Amino acid sequence: MNKIELVSEERQKILENPDLILLDKELLLALLKNSDFPDEENLVDIRNVFLKKLGEKVEKLKNTNSQIIQHAYENQLGISKIHKCCLETIETKDINAFFKFLYLKAAEILRVDFIKIVLSDNTFSNTNIENCIFKSDEEITIFARKVGITKGKTVRLKSVINDTKSEDERIITRQESTKSEAIISLLVNNNVEGLVFFESAEKSTFSVDQSTDYLEFFAQVISKHLQSLLNR
């Protein structure tokens, strides 16, 4: 049996930082051979330390992979929800049905707590739309500019936990339970003629560090369909 003799300082250094060996493939493989470490003379079997450390790394990697899979699954569910909303949107046959779907069914599909819709009192003056808030074109334009919505950036996500703006600086009155929101613009002939607010009681539902690709796709679909309904 071959012995590997380590002075106490070397052994202590390795025991305190097993990564010195774990990160060196050749050393690790050599140390894991059965003949490398005897159990005599009260020597510490460093393999046990390595294997324990390696087990911790494997467990951490497993947890990380589980989180990645979970996020991918949740992301896939998000795509599915958006696609379902898009398909049901284009099935609506008139303006009232369109906004009724957004106000009621879309909230259920997307699993948000509240949906509020603000519309131009000029563009939609001749329609009888329920559950919508009517504002002037100027008010909508000013608000959209404040929150950073443009023709090229049709969606804004935000946390509202620490939002101290007064009600008159907003365009709607939020629910007290709202912790985060998504603001989606309705474009008609490239002009912002309305806004849809998705409110959530969960602060993690919408945040500025999330991608808006899918919601922007949804915004394009509902804007194009709305424009087609108005042109009928």
Side-chain angles (χ1 to χ4, degrees):
M1 182 180 289
N2 298 323
K3 286 187 178 181
I4 296 178
E5 295 184 359
L6 297 174
V7 298
S8 59
E9 291 183 0
E10 293 173 336
R11 182 183 297 109
Q12 188 61 31
K13 184 181 294 185
I14 293 174
L15 290 174
E16 290 176 353
N17 188 8
D19 282 343
L20 292 173
I21 303 299
L22 280 174
L23 297 178
D24 190 306
K25 182 179 178 181
E26 293 183 5
L27 279 174
L28 179 61
L29 292 177
L31 289 169
L32 290 175
K33 291 181 180 178
N34 290 332
S35 60
D36 284 342
F37 284 93
D39 293 325
E40 60 186 355
E41 299 176 8
N42 296 320
L43 290 176
V44 177
D45 188 345
I46 301 180
R47 287 174 303 174
N48 294 335
V49 179
F50 294 149
L51 291 174
K52 181 180 179 182
K53 187 73 173 180
L54 188 59
E56 292 172 356
K57 286 182 176 290
V58 170
E59 189 65 25
K60 184 177 180 180
L61 182 61
K62 184 175 72 175
N63 291 336
T64 300
N65 287 340
S66 296
Q67 291 175 3
I68 292 173
I69 292 171
Q70 181 181 352
H71 290 160
Y73 178 68
E74 290 174 350
N75 188 44
Q76 183 63 36
L77 286 179
I79 297 172
S80 176
K81 291 176 188 175
I82 293 295
H83 284 173
K84 182 175 177 62
C85 276
C86 290
L87 291 173
E88 294 205 25
T89 295
I90 61 179
E91 288 296 318
T92 57
K93 304 301 183 183
D94 56 54
I95 297 290
N96 287 329
F98 172 83
F99 286 112
K100 185 176 181 180
F101 165 74
L102 285 182
Y103 186 77
L104 297 176
K105 192 68 180 294
E108 178 184 332
I109 295 172
L110 296 175
R111 294 182 184 176
V112 295
D113 295 288
F114 301 97
I115 289 184
K116 296 185 174 72
I117 302 172
V118 176
L119 299 176
S120 163
D121 57 10
N122 179 43
T123 303
F124 299 94
S125 59
N126 296 323
T127 56
N128 182 24
I129 305 171
E130 297 180 353
N131 300 315
C132 292
I133 303 165
F134 291 90
K135 299 287 183 178
S136 68
D137 290 342
E138 183 181 9
E139 288 176 290
I140 292 174
T141 300
I142 291 174
F143 179 83
R145 189 182 301 124
K146 281 181 179 178
V147 298
I149 284 180
T150 64
K151 295 175 184 177
K153 185 66 177 178
T154 55
V155 175
R156 283 296 181 189
L157 308 181
K158 62 188 300 186
S159 169
V160 300
I161 296 176
N162 297 317
D163 191 352
T164 58
K165 291 182 180 179
S166 61
E167 292 297 333
D168 57 353
E169 288 183 277
R170 303 172 189 159
I171 205 166
I172 62 166
T173 299
R174 293 195 196 101
Q175 302 300 125
E176 290 185 4
S177 60
T178 297
K179 298 292 189 298
S180 63
E181 71 180 4
I183 307 172
I184 296 179
S185 59
L186 295 172
L187 297 180
V188 178
N189 297 321
N190 287 324
N191 295 317
V192 179
E193 301 292 350
L195 300 161
V196 182
F197 294 80
F198 293 162
E199 298 186 15
S200 174
E202 298 293 330
K203 64 179 181 180
S204 59
T205 303
F206 304 113
S207 63
V208 293
D209 58 344
Q210 294 174 349
S211 171
T212 60
D213 291 351
Y214 302 133
L215 284 176
E216 286 179 359
F217 176 73
F218 180 50
Q220 291 178 17
V221 170
I222 60 178
S223 290
K224 292 295 184 183
H225 188 60
L226 174 60
Q227 186 169 317
S228 71
L229 292 176
L230 288 170
N231 291 333
R232 289 182 181 178

